[in-house]
C-alpha cells in the first residue's frame, strides 16, 4: 500500500483521465468504464476519475492506477451533487477509491452537513485521500485547512457569477497555486493538448481530461457540426 506522499508524487506532471459517461449512454456500464480506464492506463495516464460505486469497483479490479472516486447524487435537482454527503463519501471510499473527490464549494449541502466533518471522517475512518472540487480560491484555502490533500478547479464555471465561464479555469489555477499549500489539479473544460500544457506551465500538479477523451457523444456532435448535412440543417 503506497503512502499518501507516494500517491500524490505519482500524479505529478501527469494526465488523469475522467472515464465517465452520461447516465443515458449505452457506454455507461461498469465493464465499459473499466475498459476505458484500462486503455488510459496502457497509454500512460497516471490516474482515472470514476463516478459511481459499481464503476469504481470494476475499475479498481482492472487497473493499478490511483482512482479518484465520486458519486453524483441529485444532479439537476440540487446544486451540490458531487459526493454531497457523508454517506456518499463513505460509499466511495468503501468501493476502493484511492482519492475521494468532494464538492467543497461554499454552497449549502444536503441536510446542512459540514464539509469539514466529512473530510474529518474520511481521514479518521478510511485510507482514502481527499480531493476538494472548488470554484474559488477562498474555497480552496478553506478546504486545504480542513485537511484536503488536493484541490481541483473542477467547479469553476458552475457556481455563482462564473456560470457563463468557458474554457479551463486558468485564472483560478494561478491563484490556487499561489495561495494554497497543497497540490493543485486543473480540471474542467480542458479540451486540447495546448490547454493541458498551459495548465502545467501555470503550476498544475496534474491535469484531468474527460470529455475530450472519453465522451463519445460530445466528440461525435463536435464532428457532425462540421459536416455539410449539419450546415444544410441550419439553413433549413
Amino acid at each position: 500500500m503506497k503512502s499518501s506522499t507516494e500517491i500524490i508524487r505519482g500524479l505529478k506532471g501527469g494526465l488523469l483521465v475522467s472515464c465517465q459517461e452520461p447516465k443515458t449512454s449505452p457506454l455507461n456500464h461498469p465493464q465499459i468504464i473499466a475498459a476505458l480506464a484500462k486503455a488510459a492506463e496502457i497509454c500512460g495516464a497516471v490516474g482515472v476519475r470514476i463516478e459511481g460505486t459499481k464503476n469504481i469497483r470494476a475499475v479498481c479490479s482492472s487497473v493499478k492506477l490511483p482512482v479518484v472516486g465520486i458519486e453524483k447524487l441529485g444532479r439537476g435537482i440540487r446544486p451540490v451533487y458531487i459526493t454531497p454527503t457523508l454517506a456518499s463519501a463513505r460509499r466511495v471510499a468503501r468501493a476502493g477509491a484511492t482519492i475521494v473527490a468532494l464538492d467543497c464549494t461554499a454552497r449549502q449541502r444536503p441536510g446542512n452537513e459540514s464539509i469539514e466533518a466529512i473530510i474529518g471522517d474520511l481521514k479518521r475512518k478510511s485510507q482514502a485521500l481527499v480531493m476538494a472540487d472548488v470554484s474559488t480560491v477562498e474555497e480552496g484555502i478553506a478546504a486545504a485547512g480542513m485537511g484536503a490533500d488536493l484541490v481541483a478547479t473542477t467547479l469553476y464555471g458552475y457556481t455563482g457569477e462564473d456560470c457563463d465561464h468557458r474554457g479551463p479555469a486558468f485564472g483560478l489555477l494561478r491563484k490556487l497555486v499561489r495561495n494554497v499549500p497543497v497540490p493543485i489539479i486543473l480540471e474542467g473544460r480542458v479540451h486540447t493538448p495546448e490547454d493541458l500544457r498551459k495548465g502545467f506551465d501555470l503550476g498544475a500538479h496534474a491535469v484531468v481530461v474527460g470529455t475530450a477523451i472519453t465522451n463519445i457523444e460530445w466528440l461525435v456532435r463536435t464532428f457532425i457540426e462540421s459536416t455539410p448535412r449539419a450546415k444544410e440543417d441550419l439553413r433549413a
Side-chain angles (χ1 to χ4, degrees):
M1 180 68 181
K2 291 184 178 180
S3 68
S4 297
T5 300
E6 290 173 324
I7 293 169
I8 292 173
R9 187 187 300 130
L11 300 179
K12 186 173 176 60
L15 167 70
L16 291 92
V17 178
S18 181
C19 301
Q20 299 182 56
E21 298 295 339
K23 295 291 186 184
T24 56
S25 171
L27 299 178
N28 187 21
H29 186 281
Q31 288 183 312
I32 295 174
I33 299 298
L36 289 172
K38 188 63 179 179
E41 180 181 44
I42 291 170
C43 291
V46 299
V48 289
R49 182 166 166 129
I50 307 295
E51 192 278 325
T53 55
K54 291 182 180 179
N55 291 336
I56 291 169
R57 290 191 187 96
V59 170
C60 287
S61 67
S62 300
V63 307
K64 297 179 180 178
L65 296 176
V67 173
V68 179
I70 63 173
E71 186 175 62
K72 292 180 177 177
L73 298 175
R75 183 170 187 173
I77 300 172
R78 57 187 177 217
V80 175
Y81 62 86
I82 297 178
T83 325
T85 64
L86 175 57
S88 64
R90 287 175 173 172
R91 283 193 294 268
V92 170
R94 286 197 300 267
T98 317
I99 302 166
V100 177
L102 312 166
D103 181 320
C104 287
T105 62
R107 298 174 296 178
Q108 186 177 27
R109 308 183 76 80
N112 291 319
E113 289 192 36
S114 161
I115 187 61
E116 184 171 13
I118 296 173
I119 292 175
D121 184 90
L122 287 171
K123 291 290 187 178
R124 291 190 305 272
K125 299 180 181 179
S126 79
Q127 295 181 316
L129 281 67
V130 175
M131 179 184 289
D133 291 346
V134 304
S135 64
T136 69
V137 66
E138 292 81 11
E139 291 165 354
I141 293 169
M146 295 174 194
D149 301 285
L150 304 148
V151 169
T153 63
T154 314
L155 290 168
Y156 185 75
Y158 297 98
T159 67
E161 297 178 357
D162 61 3
C163 283
D164 61 350
H165 178 81
R166 296 182 180 181
F170 293 131
L172 175 59
L173 174 64
R174 289 189 190 95
K175 294 177 183 178
L176 290 170
V177 168
R178 292 172 185 166
N179 294 283
V180 177
V182 301
I184 307 302
I185 309 298
L186 176 64
E187 179 173 10
R189 298 174 296 276
V190 180
H191 290 163
T192 67
E194 290 72 26
D195 290 339
L196 180 142
R197 283 193 287 269
K198 184 172 180 179
F200 283 119
D201 289 343
L202 293 174
H205 184 79
V207 176
V208 178
V209 179
T211 297
I213 295 176
T214 59
N215 190 328
I216 190 170
E217 285 89 351
W218 180 84
L219 288 166
V220 170
R221 286 195 300 268
T222 299
F223 280 94
I224 284 178
E225 287 172 359
S226 296
T227 63
R229 175 171 292 186
K231 293 174 182 178
E232 290 172 3
D233 290 344
L234 285 175
R235 287 195 294 267

